[in-house]
Amino acid sequence: MKREARKGLPPLDLSGLKPGQKVTLRIAPNPNGPPSLGNARGIIVNAEYARMYDGVFIMRFDDTDPAIKKPMLEAYQWYVEQAKWLGCPPDKVVIASDRLPLYYEYAEKLIELGKAYVCTCENETFHDLKEAGKPCPHRETEPAGNMGQWKKMLAGDFAGKEAVLRIKTDIRHRDPALRDWVAFRIVTEEHPRTGHTYRVWPMLDFESAMEDHFLGVTHIIRGKDLMKTADKQRYVYQYLGWEYPHVSHWGRVRLLGFGKFSTSVMKKGIQGGEFTGWDDPRLPTVAALKRRGFEPEAIRNVMINMGVTETDIEFSMDTLYAENRKIADPKANRYFFVADPVALRIDGAPGIVAKAPLHPQDPGRGYREIPVPADPGILVARSDLPVMQPGSIVRLKDLYNVKITCAEPLRGEYIGNDIAVLKQGAKIVHWAPADGVPVRVVGPEGEYHGIAEPGVKAELNNVVQFERFAFVRIDTIDGVVLAYYTHP
RNA sequence: GCUCCGGUAGUGUAGACCGGUCAAUCAUGACGGACUCUCACUCCGUCGACUGGGGUUCAAAUCCCCACCGGAGCACCA
């Protein structure tokens, strides 16, 4: 038994590979919104496996429902761009809605083989028969008859819901989920890419079965919710004499700290003005993480460490935060930001220029210089008020020491600049000059308003650390500075 | 109701296929301490788990059965 901890993803089963065949994987998103953290897992894990085996990573858009999960034209591009950002550029991009004729061709092949039939049962009628394990009257239609009905479907002789093409499996299969499933249905809604060109659309089970074969996919890795899809698709593979790829599944992921955010819930929230957009920091989208300043490598690391277990999990953002901090901390310059500022008037202080390192572990990076006039009114965070009671001594970080003389209004007196006060129990507080810049920090938990030292204006698009507060990404500088909260 | 999958510390994960070396790995977290002009970083220490019950066996986290818990499918969604 070996005892070594696994690094990276567990190895793939390569036993089914033919000589010269490349490991081929795909992610098959529905472009009805931008990628979420869950989609990122699929992108990263599949791409990483392709990378491990010098294989092929395909991005295939399963955009075959123009009605209920209507695709968004912009989302196709978002997926590709954000996969690139994550360090997982697809080797090939395929769009299902481009390839309907191909699916039709194989539908007809299956009809000819007597393995597919057009069913015009009422939804409920079929359901009841199926539950009872009984065939519907259409099941025994001859291929020629089915072909005629199929052509009628294509020609528009049926309205939506009036006819479907079913794959013949085993109507008495012990698992009702596998009995004679629907391969095509009629959808008259306009498709954003193909308009009204097609009115007969494949279901995921069928479209995906075709594409995985045509694209030479060797390994399918997807969510557990699609476990039975494989069993359904094997029927088709068997009828056509194809070999089904290796499949593995990961369990359901519950994202701790975020509510239940399906694509449709997010979309509704954005339209309703509850969220500012798909990159609102309160949303678990890749776009939001990007805007918050996360390192793609950190996201990749956590996804790879999670692996592909079938266990249902509760994922804590703390894990991502920790992983990101490892990368962000050495890079981020330090600044003071005072949330919910309170003025502190200091008596007897000389005018000086405070010097604080941009990074405590890297003095070579230089210093922030913050001029502070004599007897200044500076700003401190309201949350530090408890340590600033009359009589208490505080160290204004990188500035000087102050003895508090009055709490209301807050006032103190200058008592020198000897750092030794810290040994005597003085608390450290950070501060901002009266002429600092207003900053609004937006984060998953809400907004913070405050003042930062003017130097942050030189950090547009960078992640910086607001000392004793959090890491943030400076997003916009336009009068007030807008910062996105990364993590503590 | 039918069917399928899973259950290792607060969280994620290794070990499970091929029982022993598992008084169970690593990470994160919590707590304590060192360092530090940050509540960050770094370092040290502590805490904390095999869902329960039977069975097989000299030996079970690992194999079998049952129960319980969690999740999924039974859609003209993906």
Side-chain angles (χ1 to χ4, degrees), chain A residues 158-472:
Chain A
F158 291 108
K161 304 263 178 196
E162 281 185 356
V164 296
L165 184 75
R166 289 186 185 281
I167 298 298
K168 220 183 261 187
T169 63
D170 175 356
I171 201 64
R172 286 184 315 196
H173 196 290
R174 61 197 301 263
D175 185 346
L178 266 41
R179 297 173 187 163
D180 285 21
W181 48 275
V182 174
F184 287 85
R185 84 299 206 185
I186 295 163
V187 186
T188 52
E189 193 103 357
E190 177 175 28
H191 190 285
R193 294 189 71 258
T194 61
H196 289 289
T197 311
Y198 305 107
R199 51 181 288 128
V200 176
W201 288 89
M203 301 291 289
L204 170 86
D205 293 321
F206 189 85
E207 174 268 334
S208 169
M210 295 297 113
E211 290 296 357
D212 286 336
H213 175 75
F214 299 142
L215 298 172
V217 171
T218 58
H219 298 262
I220 299 170
I221 303 170
R222 61 186 166 202
K224 221 170 145 187
D225 50 324
L226 294 178
M227 221 159 209
K228 297 214 166 172
T229 290
D231 295 326
K232 293 184 187 176
Q233 294 177 332
R234 281 185 219 276
Y235 280 96
V236 175
Y237 273 63
Q238 192 204 320
Y239 299 152
L240 266 10
W242 297 347
E243 199 175 317
Y244 201 79
H246 283 287
V247 215
S248 37
H249 305 93
W250 53 66
R252 188 187 129 109
V253 180
R254 220 156 59 89
L255 246 189
L256 261 21
F258 285 99
K260 308 174 249 329
F261 283 119
S262 64
T263 302
S264 57
V265 166
M266 289 192 275
K267 192 175 281 185
K268 205 168 290 174
I270 292 166
Q271 281 163 357
E274 191 187 334
F275 301 113
T276 56
W278 290 103
D279 57 3
D280 188 295
R282 290 164 294 182
L283 297 178
T285 57
V286 174
L289 294 181
K290 183 178 179 207
R291 195 154 192 193
R292 285 170 64 186
F294 280 85
E295 298 281 345
E297 194 182 346
I299 302 173
R300 260 199 334 257
N301 290 345
V302 300
M303 295 303 177
I304 288 168
N305 288 340
M306 267 199 277
V308 232
T309 59
E310 288 188 12
T311 316
D312 300 324
I313 61 169
E314 297 186 317
F315 177 76
S316 165
M317 290 295 283
D318 285 349
T319 310
L320 213 209
Y321 291 173
E323 201 62 46
N324 194 68
R325 195 146 41 220
K326 286 181 199 164
I327 305 171
D329 187 85
K331 294 210 269 191
N333 284 335
R334 268 56 172 173
Y335 292 94
F336 291 145
F337 162 74
V338 171
D340 199 2
V342 176
L344 165 61
R345 180 63 181 277
I346 303 162
D347 300 307
I352 68 167
V353 175
K355 255 185 95 183
L358 279 165
H359 195 285
Q361 269 85 45
D362 184 7
R365 239 182 260 195
Y367 294 82
R368 304 117 66 189
E369 300 197 337
I370 313 163
V372 178
D375 294 348
I378 63 154
L379 303 169
V380 296
R382 185 169 297 276
S383 59
D384 278 330
L385 253 29
V387 300
M388 291 191 277
Q389 296 306 314
S392 59
I393 291 172
V394 293
R395 167 70 185 175
L396 294 172
K397 190 168 183 288
D398 302 308
L399 184 61
Y400 45 56
N401 309 324
V402 171
K403 182 173 190 175
I404 303 301
T405 51
C406 177
E408 198 76 41
L410 191 59
R411 193 151 185 161
E413 61 178 331
Y414 172 81
I415 53 164
N417 195 6
D418 187 350
I419 243 173
V421 293
L422 292 175
K423 303 269 188 231
Q424 292 144 26
K427 297 291 184 198
I428 289 177
V429 291
H430 63 285
W431 53 278
D435 62 347
V437 298
V439 176
R440 184 171 140 238
V441 179
V442 296
E445 243 102 86
E447 298 200 3
Y448 307 85
H449 297 266
I451 302 292
E453 53 184 283
V456 298
K457 287 188 160 180
E459 297 277 5
L460 184 61
N461 291 329
N462 293 341
V463 171
V464 301
Q465 189 202 44
F466 282 165
E467 292 194 46
R468 307 207 312 141
F469 179 75
F471 288 87
V472 302

Side-chain angles (χ1 to χ4, degrees), chain A residues 81-104:
Chain A
E81 280 166 6
Q82 290 177 25
K84 280 185 194 161
W85 178 72
L86 286 167
C88 305
D91 298 307
K92 184 173 181 179
V93 176
V94 178
I95 301 178
S97 56
D98 281 346
R99 295 162 51 105
L100 277 274
L102 192 55
Y103 310 146
Y104 289 168

